[in-house]
Amino acid sequence: MLKKLTLGLLLLSLSLVTAAQEKEEEVEGSIYIPMQPPFVVNYGGAGRLKYLKTELTLRVNDVHTAAAARHHMPLLRNAMVMLFSRQSEESITTQEGIAQLRETAKSEIIALLESEQGEADVLEVYFNDLIVQK
């Protein structure tokens, strides 16, 4: 009786693990990963202090990239802090400058994830919020 019960529990646990793996692989569409908490950095170099506050969300295409982004979030956040602090006033006060900053952020995130994981299917980087104090 104990052997049957043990075998039954083993089969049940294997079926649950298999179902969980299939469910993970069945995710279709984009996965959105917020980079929390918001970024608050000084920018603009010498002179009067200027602040930038922003919230970012990554849009990735698969669960492997999502897991890699979550795992390497401290590395990604550090890169974004460094990127935002290097900005000049001109680069974040125009629509073209903000679009370029978004593309640069995406490129840096992809490069970091590829160096750590080998591949990265990051589709977009979105600014949920962008506040600049001059």
Side-chain angles (χ1 to χ4, degrees):
M1 181 69 175
L2 185 59
K3 287 183 180 182
K4 287 182 182 179
L5 183 60
T6 304
L7 181 61
L9 288 175
L10 180 62
L11 290 174
L12 178 63
S13 64
L14 284 175
S15 66
L16 290 175
V17 168
T18 305
Q21 288 173 343
E22 288 174 359
K23 184 175 182 178
E24 192 173 283
E25 293 173 5
E26 290 175 4
V27 173
E28 292 184 19
S30 299
I31 301 169
Y32 294 90
I33 304 167
M35 295 182 79
Q36 292 292 332
F39 295 92
V40 179
V41 298
N42 295 349
Y43 75 94
R48 185 173 171 220
L49 287 178
K50 301 171 194 160
Y51 298 96
L52 175 132
K53 178 185 177 191
T54 188
E55 293 182 35
L56 293 180
T57 297
L58 305 179
R59 179 176 160 220
V60 300
N61 201 33
D62 60 56
V63 294
H64 302 294
T65 303
R70 287 184 186 104
H71 179 74
H72 295 292
M73 191 60 71
L75 177 66
L76 301 178
R77 287 187 58 81
N78 180 66
M80 293 301 98
V81 167
M82 295 296 111
L83 173 66
F84 297 145
S85 65
R86 288 192 307 259
Q87 300 306 303
S88 66
E89 189 170 332
E90 296 80 30
S91 67
I92 58 173
T93 56
T94 64
Q95 290 297 321
E96 297 82 20
I98 293 170
Q100 180 60 44
L101 179 60
R102 202 181 75 156
E103 287 301 315
T104 304
K106 177 182 169 185
S107 298
E108 285 195 21
I109 288 170
I110 289 171
L112 285 170
L113 288 175
E114 285 178 345
S115 72
E116 294 295 322
Q117 297 292 116
E119 66 177 86
D121 199 1
V122 177
L123 300 173
E124 289 295 332
V125 174
Y126 296 114
F127 287 114
N128 297 343
D129 190 15
L130 180 63
I131 300 170
V132 177
Q133 179 184 356
K134 301 178 188 179

